[in-house]
Amino acid sequence: MGAQAQADAQAPTPARTRGCARARCAIAALLALGLAPSASAAQASGPPSPRPARPFTLPTIQSVSLSFGATLDLVESHEVPFVTIDLVFPRGSGLDPDGLEGATATAALLLTSGTSSRRAAEIVDALDHSGATLVPNVVPDRTVLTAATPLSALDSTLALLADVVRNPTFPAERVEAIRTRSLSALQALEGASATVADRVFDARSWGAGHPRGRRQTPRSTRALGRDDVVAAWARTGRPEGMRVVVSGAVELEDARRRIEEVFAGWAPDGEPVLQARGGEGVSRTAPEVVVVNRPGAVQAEIRVGTALPRRAAASQAELDLANRVLGVGPASRLFRRMREEEGFGYGVSSALEWTPEGPRFVASTAVRTEVAGAALDLLLAEIERLRREPISTEEFERVRNGRVGALPIELETPRQIAVRWIETWARGGDAGELTALRTRYAALDAETVQRAVESYLRADRMLIVVSGDALAIRPQLQALGPVTLLDADGREITLAQLEGGATADDRPTFSPAGLRPFRSAYDVRLNGRPFGEVVRTLEASADGSALTLRSETSVGPQSIDQTVTFGAEDFGFLRTTQTLVLQGQEATLDAELRDGRMVGSRRSALGEEPIDVALPPGAVVGDMAEMLLWVADLEVGGSFQLPFADPQTGTVQRLRVRVEGTERIQVPAGDFDTFRIAVGGSQPQTIWARVEAPHWVVRVTPAAQPVSIELRTPPSGR
């Protein structure tokens, strides 16, 4: 529309003027009669009041015993021609033997890898053809195998489900494939501060040996063999105590008949049924403060919480509402205070976990290292405020009305009801608990909720776990009480070890005389294919007092030439250099030992940066760590730590070295009997070193990367 047209449209016309005049007169009349609301009255009225909650009735959960010792539960609904079947075995990862954590989970993942009558490909084809899915889930107290299928494929899906449960073959090659995949995923997470904090919090909140305090680790995964997987399923996949939970478009008698047909002949074998050895978690009368050392970390992972007694489950609704006031969602106290007001970090939350052994409360956040103490003080203060101060009417009505309104949505479908029923049954509840849940929430008041908090949540009895740079964090926490220091493997360390770096007990015994000048070569492989090479040479100084290791790496478009010089007798760092060339651009590094510090500079197209790093006793730099393995006294089960100084980042971290076992492997240079060595740190990796001394490095694989470095030319004298 042009400017003139717009002006014409906006210009008053006689008709428009008369219309406006009539409107003004009408408004004036209304005001004169007092019929028009004032602005202040409209503002005072506020938002409309919530409508009364609509009636909500859960469908009845129908149950019947099955001939093979299980129970069938049905949530019936014929709105959609779809059915979900959950086989719930009341045995889970809590039964995994010590050192073989992950056995049950591995067995469950392998159920579709073949049966006595079907190959893995046939199982996959059958699922694809029918549009069905089959998914396992393993937790400490139960194993659940879930099949979802269109009603038209119910019989074939049930037959497949029964077959994989009763007749799995666990092919050795598939066991190895799943084990390797799990190992790679675990290694990727193992060094993360969040993983370390969660692992320590689990172990200390539940107690030593508790099923919920144990986790699958790279070490336990490497130890798993096919026999362990077979034994795990023999313990787990039994009909005793099992529940078959069906939800969807099928009637009870029809479901019972179909299930009895596919499981015909299955019966308890008379052997004792093992139970997980769990109990209530650890109760405290004072705070327990644990700091897990992650040298150089710029962020602190914080976990605060406690395991509650079983009787606290009777106050589930009350504690749930209190927790929502404290730490669920952006309107919660913790979120507003810690993120919006103080800016300590991006995320903070609290949660209640409901288990058969009792509930567990945990608040979690990640903050900058320098504010870890202040953030923890605020978090504890908010927990204590929840206990001591009445919850405001506004806060209480927000969370209570939210729960009353949300429950019909959370329990809207048969599948949602079935999942909630499984959780309720697993911790000893019954169907009546689900039916009464909404009514119970609606009847609560703020005083009742606060009484539950007073009984079970005390800030002065919490377990506090912080994973980060212990040297920077420990002084911030001392006002809370004694601080236990751990390394990333969960082993206690002393303050002297923390402040002084490596001690005589940390460093392995070694014989530097075992090192002689040599030349060796390695292939760099990406997804099993050659992608580059590393050539290494070791040379002695003219007087024999120093050794220089040179590594020349060519990978794709980049080349790296680096050296590190160290004492031939004491293995002490002396100097390091590095030259990186990438697409014609060059970056260099040169640093040397001066008065106990690594001092030098980094140069690139962006300019020059200084290097100045304090070196703790026994610090290694670059490939010195590998040379130390060559001459160390290694044995299966042995472990040690090394301070590792990185001139690129200017940080010092601890390398955790553990000899996990022996293994015969094949590389381009031939077959070797090797030690398998796990190296933990910010970049975890696995090293295979020759059993015979000197312990040449034969293969290196970084965690969660499709890269390996394999010996092509064994070390030879120069």
Side-chain angles (χ1 to χ4, degrees):
M1 182 183 292
Q4 185 59 48
Q6 291 179 349
D8 292 343
Q10 295 169 0
T13 64
R16 185 176 292 127
T17 302
R18 288 193 297 272
C20 292
R22 285 195 297 270
R24 285 194 294 271
C25 291
I27 292 171
L30 287 171
L31 289 172
L33 294 172
L35 298 178
S38 67
S40 59
Q43 292 172 356
S45 65
S49 300
R51 296 181 178 180
R54 295 179 180 178
F56 170 64
T57 304
L58 281 175
T60 300
I61 299 175
Q62 308 171 67
S63 299
V64 64
S65 297
L66 299 170
S67 64
F68 50 89
T71 300
L72 167 63
D73 299 317
L74 174 66
V75 182
E76 185 177 348
S77 173
H78 295 271
E79 291 185 6
V80 179
F82 202 80
V83 179
T84 302
I85 309 102
D86 293 288
L87 299 188
V88 186
F89 300 91
R91 295 164 288 277
S93 59
L95 292 176
D96 289 343
D98 291 338
L100 294 174
E101 291 83 1
T104 303
T106 303
L109 287 170
L110 285 161
L111 291 176
T112 56
S113 294
T115 70
S116 53
S117 61
R118 307 176 201 239
R119 293 179 293 109
E122 293 174 314
I123 294 173
V124 172
D125 288 345
L127 291 170
D128 288 346
H129 180 73
S130 63
T133 59
L134 205 161
V135 179
N137 182 40
V138 179
V139 294
D141 60 275
R142 63 188 180 274
T143 298
V144 183
L145 194 61
T146 302
T149 177
L151 180 60
S152 58
L154 178 56
D155 285 334
S156 61
T157 301
L158 279 171
L160 178 61
L161 186 60
D163 191 23
V164 301
V165 166
R166 298 176 63 183
N167 308 304
T169 54
F170 302 114
E173 67 278 6
R174 291 297 303 154
V175 172
E176 180 59 24
I178 292 293
R179 191 182 70 88
T180 301
R181 189 176 72 186
S182 299
L183 182 60
S184 180
L186 288 166
Q187 286 176 325
L189 296 172
E190 184 74 0
S193 283
T195 301
V196 173
D198 289 337
R199 183 175 67 239
V200 173
F201 187 82
D202 285 349
R204 291 196 168 238
S205 60
W206 290 111
H210 196 288
R212 295 189 182 276
R214 301 162 62 224
R215 286 185 169 212
Q216 183 176 1
T217 65
R219 186 175 187 179
S220 68
T221 303
R222 289 191 189 95
L224 288 176
R226 181 180 179 277
D227 289 347
D228 303 311
V229 172
V230 172
W233 191 247
R235 289 190 300 269
T236 303
R238 301 170 57 163
E240 295 96 327
M242 184 178 81
R243 297 193 90 91
V244 184
V245 181
V246 178
S247 52
V250 62
E251 296 179 350
L252 182 64
E253 183 54 34
D254 186 23
R256 187 200 64 76
R257 176 185 57 79
R258 295 177 191 239
I259 292 168
E260 291 280 14
E261 286 179 0
V262 297
F263 285 102
W266 199 28
D269 58 13
E271 292 294 321
V273 179
L274 296 176
Q275 298 295 333
R277 53 191 185 280
E280 291 185 355
V282 177
S283 78
R284 294 172 176 79
T285 57
E288 179 184 0
V289 185
V290 180
V291 177
V292 188
N293 190 28
R294 308 286 296 161
V298 297
Q299 186 165 268
E301 287 281 349
I302 297 175
R303 304 291 182 268
V304 175
T306 184
L308 307 181
R310 281 195 179 99
R311 66 178 184 277
S315 301
Q316 178 180 2
E318 292 89 337
L319 291 171
D320 179 42
L321 292 187
N323 179 62
R324 290 174 184 277
V325 169
L326 178 68
V328 178
S332 68
R333 293 178 178 181
L334 289 179
F335 191 93
R336 292 199 313 268
R337 293 293 313 282
M338 295 188 67
R339 174 173 172 170
E340 295 181 353
E341 295 178 16
E342 301 294 340
F344 286 148
Y346 285 105
V348 59
S349 63
S350 63
L352 280 161
E353 304 163 358
W354 303 97
T355 77
E357 295 84 4
R360 185 177 73 160
F361 166 78
V362 57
S364 306
T365 189
V367 301
R368 304 186 312 277
T369 296
E370 63 269 22
V371 299
L376 186 54
D377 289 343
L378 192 154
L379 197 159
L380 292 169
E382 286 298 333
I383 294 173
E384 190 61 17
R385 181 163 80 96
L386 187 68
R387 179 172 172 266
R388 291 189 176 276
E389 296 180 10
I391 299 171
S392 70
T393 300
E394 180 184 356
E395 283 183 305
F396 179 74
E397 290 185 350
R398 173 180 64 81
V399 295
R400 183 189 61 186
N401 294 342
R403 290 308 294 141
V404 170
L407 278 170
I409 299 172
E410 294 175 3
L411 298 173
E412 184 176 15
T413 68
R415 177 65 187 147
Q416 290 173 315
I417 297 170
V419 170
R420 186 68 70 89
W421 162 237
I422 292 170
E423 294 171 352
T424 302
W425 165 78
R427 57 181 174 78
D430 56 32
E433 182 179 320
L434 278 183
T435 304
L437 199 54
R438 195 187 195 206
T439 303
R440 184 176 176 188
Y441 275 105
L444 288 177
D445 55 45
E447 291 75 16
T448 305
V449 169
Q450 191 169 16
R451 282 197 297 272
V453 176
E454 290 173 351
S455 298
Y456 298 114
L457 295 181
R458 295 187 52 150
D460 59 354
R461 297 183 180 181
M462 292 285 166
L463 167 65
I464 300 164
V465 174
V466 184
S467 175
D469 190 332
L471 278 174
I473 292 170
R474 179 183 171 276
Q476 302 178 49
L477 310 185
Q478 287 181 277
L480 296 172
V483 177
T484 300
L485 298 172
L486 303 179
D487 65 17
D489 291 323
R491 295 175 297 197
E492 287 199 26
I493 56 177
T494 66
L495 183 59
Q497 288 174 304
L498 178 67
E499 294 176 338
T503 67
D505 293 334
D506 291 327
R507 211 169 185 191
T509 57
F510 61 94
S511 303
L515 286 177
R516 294 285 185 272
F518 69 83
R519 184 182 189 279
S520 63
Y522 294 79
D523 286 339
V524 179
R525 294 178 175 268
L526 178 65
N527 289 318
R529 298 180 178 180
F531 185 62
E533 71 168 2
V534 179
V535 176
R536 285 186 174 146
T537 57
L538 183 70
E539 296 182 341
S541 61
D543 61 2
S545 64
L547 296 169
T548 297
L549 177 65
R550 182 176 186 181
S551 299
E552 300 170 276
T553 304
S554 300
V555 178
Q558 75 175 12
S559 65
I560 305 172
D561 186 348
Q562 52 188 334
T563 68
V564 60
T565 302
F566 51 93
E569 294 297 328
D570 63 358
F571 234 87
F573 166 75
L574 296 173
R575 186 185 180 194
T576 185
T577 66
Q578 186 179 111
T579 301
L580 166 67
V581 179
L582 176 62
Q583 296 178 342
Q585 297 291 320
E586 184 176 279
T588 63
L589 178 155
D590 193 343
E592 64 182 6
L593 179 70
R594 295 182 196 168
D595 299 324
R597 307 182 72 86
M598 179 167 56
V599 179
S601 62
R602 296 182 291 269
R603 298 181 181 86
S604 69
L606 300 177
E608 182 173 345
E609 294 179 290
I611 299 171
D612 189 354
V613 182
L615 296 181
V620 296
V621 177
D623 291 330
M624 283 177 63
E626 180 180 317
M627 288 293 94
L628 192 59
L629 290 180
W630 275 46
V631 294
D633 294 331
L634 301 179
E635 61 179 8
V636 175
S639 63
F640 54 89
Q641 297 188 53
L642 294 171
F644 180 82
D646 186 347
Q648 288 286 2
T649 62
T651 61
V652 179
Q653 63 170 303
R654 289 242 176 191
L655 293 184
R656 302 177 305 281
V657 182
R658 183 173 57 240
V659 182
E660 297 192 322
T662 58
E663 187 175 338
R664 187 166 180 81
I665 66 170
Q666 185 179 59
V667 294
D671 295 345
F672 293 88
D673 291 318
T674 65
F675 287 120
R676 186 182 62 249
I677 303 169
V679 180
S682 61
Q683 297 177 327
Q685 58 187 323
T686 302
I687 294 175
W688 285 262
R690 191 176 71 152
V691 169
E692 182 183 349
H695 308 299
W696 308 335
V697 171
V698 176
R699 177 191 288 161
V700 179
T701 59
Q705 296 183 35
V707 176
S708 65
I709 301 170
E710 301 185 350
L711 184 65
R712 183 181 72 227
T713 305
S716 58
R718 288 172 61 84

